Amino acid sequence: MYTGRRYFILALLFIASMINYIDRAALSILAPYITTDLNVNKAELGLIFSSFAIGYAVFCFVGGWLADKYGPRRIFAGAMGLWSLFAGLTCAAFNFTSLFFIRVIFGAAEGPMGSVTNKTIVKWFPARERARAVGVSFSGNPMGGAVSAPIVAAAALAFGWRITFVGMMVIGFAWVAIWLIATKGSEASTEDTVEQAEADTAGNDLPNEKLSYYLKQPIILFTALAFFAYSYILFFFMTWFPSYLLDARGLNMRDMSIANVLPWLLGFVGLISGGFISDYIYKLTHNLLFSRKVIIVIGLIIAAICITASALVHNLYGAIGLMSVGMFAMYVTTSCYWAIVQDTVKGNNVGAVSGFIHFLANLAGVFAPMLTGFIVQGTGQYYSAFYLVGALAIGSAILLMLGGKKQASA
């Protein structure tokens, strides 16, 4: 019934993911201008980068609950509208404190993005199409990261950094208007409703242990730790890599914006391909947990080696190439964290356990920018920050490989 319409909805979700990352990455790209105008040092900049994740982590939970209660249409519109407003209000920041609080609310408004996107896909897509719909919608994230640097840098060079944030607000408001028109009076098709009801019934037939049971299982704990390492890499790259290219590699704003594109583009390819690779390994091995874990372990180790090496090579193109391969390897693992939860948690606890690992993962958004800021401020260089990224990724991968055993049957 809504076959054509739901693909337009999917296109809107993809664009929303792009806007999400453009808005999120803009502060990092424009940091040299902002720190000069607001007299912010490296340690304070790290705290400002971290402030986003304070609100974001909390509202990963709240956003899903609100979408269940009020529906994804209204919550998505409200979230996009609020984060666009506070993206625009960044232009009004006048010191460290004002920018810190603007970013906290901005992060809280972006928090519902993931859970509301999933809720929307469940509403509009039958079960047989949801996996690919999730991949397509969230692939807008690295694509947004790829286009953010050249677009944001060009706008700042032409109009100044404050007007650039106002422009992002206008784009967000335009998306909200189109979203509300496109989804007005919409309901899931009869086929979708029947399939979801069958899926829910099947899940309720499974033994259902208490939530605390799953949160004590090694596979859940070590998956959460690996997801934390993944997010640490992501937030480190998103917040500090542009400044690294400017400070340590001597690039100007225009060249930095171009150099920042390739890692995001390879991340886009990695996110799209990771689920297909994992499914192919399962087809060969018939071992579901292994097919998820092997992707995470190998992906994180490759990412750790490449990202650490990118700080050590003297050639700029080699550094960018290594960082790009590292981002590809990191993004390949994306779908496997969620898949492990879906494969191992029974009954009605999938959402709660997913929320638990997502919350822990996004705590990295608090620690990665803040610790990097203190390291750079204290040492005057970036090497130690890169080493910390590599050590965390390799350590978590080894723990998942050796200690992440599936729990005994309930």
Side-chain angles (χ1 to χ4, degrees):
M1 181 177 179
Y2 289 116
T3 299
R5 193 177 177 189
R6 69 171 176 256
Y7 289 113
F8 181 69
I9 299 300
L10 183 61
L12 286 178
L13 294 177
F14 175 83
I15 294 170
S17 293
M18 287 186 63
I19 293 172
N20 179 281
Y21 262 47
I22 292 172
D23 291 356
R24 192 187 299 191
L27 187 74
S28 306
I29 296 163
L30 301 178
Y33 298 138
I34 296 170
T35 53
T36 299
D37 285 358
L38 303 186
N39 194 26
V40 172
N41 63 36
K42 295 295 186 184
E44 290 173 330
L45 181 61
L47 291 172
I48 290 170
F49 286 153
S50 295
S51 65
F52 167 87
I54 295 172
Y56 184 83
V58 173
F59 275 81
C60 287
F61 285 119
V62 176
W65 177 81
L66 290 173
D68 285 337
K69 187 173 179 65
Y70 298 107
R73 177 177 183 264
R74 284 184 287 179
I75 300 306
F76 214 143
M80 173 73 86
L82 186 61
W83 96 52
S84 298
L85 173 63
F86 276 86
L89 286 176
T90 305
C91 74
F94 55 90
N95 60 12
F96 165 79
T97 303
S98 62
L99 184 55
F100 184 91
F101 282 107
I102 288 170
R103 292 293 290 184
V104 169
I105 302 175
F106 171 76
E110 282 205 353
M113 173 74 186
S115 56
V116 178
T117 297
N118 284 331
K119 185 78 174 179
T120 303
I121 289 170
V122 168
K123 178 180 176 67
W124 281 88
F125 286 83
R128 64 180 179 272
E129 297 181 11
R130 285 175 193 153
R132 71 192 75 166
V134 169
V136 169
S137 61
F138 283 110
S139 67
N141 290 343
M143 183 57 70
V147 302
S148 62
I151 290 175
V152 170
L157 290 170
F159 306 108
W161 71 267
R162 294 184 187 271
I163 298 300
T164 299
F165 282 104
V166 174
M168 290 187 290
M169 177 181 68
V170 172
I171 292 172
F173 286 167
W175 184 94
V176 170
I178 296 171
W179 170 259
L180 290 174
I181 294 170
T183 57
K184 185 177 181 179
S186 62
E187 295 292 339
S189 68
T190 302
E191 179 185 8
D192 295 351
T193 304
V194 169
E195 288 192 10
Q196 180 61 25
E198 290 174 349
D200 291 343
T201 302
N204 290 335
D205 288 338
L206 292 171
N208 189 14
E209 292 285 344
K210 293 181 179 180
L211 177 62
S212 59
Y213 168 80
Y214 292 106
L215 299 187
K216 296 175 184 177
Q217 299 305 315
I219 184 59
I220 299 300
L221 295 175
F222 289 120
T223 298
L225 178 60
F227 204 2
F228 179 91
Y230 163 98
S231 294
Y232 195 101
I233 296 171
L234 177 60
F235 277 99
F236 170 79
F237 176 80
M238 185 185 303
T239 56
W240 280 104
F241 192 65
S243 294
Y244 167 76
L245 291 176
L246 293 168
D247 296 341
R249 295 290 179 171
L251 272 65
N252 58 37
M253 180 63 70
R254 192 180 304 276
D255 291 340
M256 179 278 291
S257 68
I258 297 172
N260 202 52
V261 171
L262 183 60
W264 285 115
L265 287 178
L266 284 185
F268 169 80
V269 175
L271 196 153
I272 289 288
S273 61
F276 290 98
I277 296 172
S278 178
D279 288 343
Y280 181 71
I281 292 174
Y282 173 60
K283 182 179 179 180
L284 294 177
T285 64
H286 303 289
N287 187 327
L288 192 59
L289 183 59
F290 173 80
S291 70
R292 313 306 190 195
K293 285 174 56 177
V294 69
I295 296 295
I296 295 174
V297 170
I298 295 176
L300 286 181
I301 290 175
I302 292 175
I305 294 171
C306 290
I307 291 171
T308 302
S310 70
L312 300 177
V313 298
H314 295 293
N315 182 274
L316 172 64
Y317 299 108
I320 295 172
L322 284 166
M323 178 60 77
S324 300
V325 174
M327 290 296 288
F328 170 84
M330 182 208 76
Y331 264 113
V332 163
T333 70
T334 303
S335 62
C336 294
Y337 307 102
W338 304 110
I340 285 177
V341 174
Q342 295 167 359
D343 296 339
T344 59
V345 177
K346 300 179 181 180
N348 297 322
N349 285 312
V350 173
V353 177
S354 297
F356 168 75
I357 70 166
H358 197 205
F359 171 74
L360 289 183
N362 281 289
L363 289 179
V366 177
F367 291 109
M370 179 176 59
L371 291 176
T372 303
F374 285 127
I375 289 171
V376 175
Q377 181 69 23
T379 65
Q381 45 82 20
Y382 286 82
Y383 292 113
S384 298
F386 278 85
Y387 298 154
L388 179 58
V389 171
L392 180 61
I394 290 176
S396 64
I398 292 173
L399 286 173
L400 179 63
M401 178 175 63
L402 300 178
K405 305 298 183 182
K406 189 172 180 178
Q407 72 268 11
S409 300

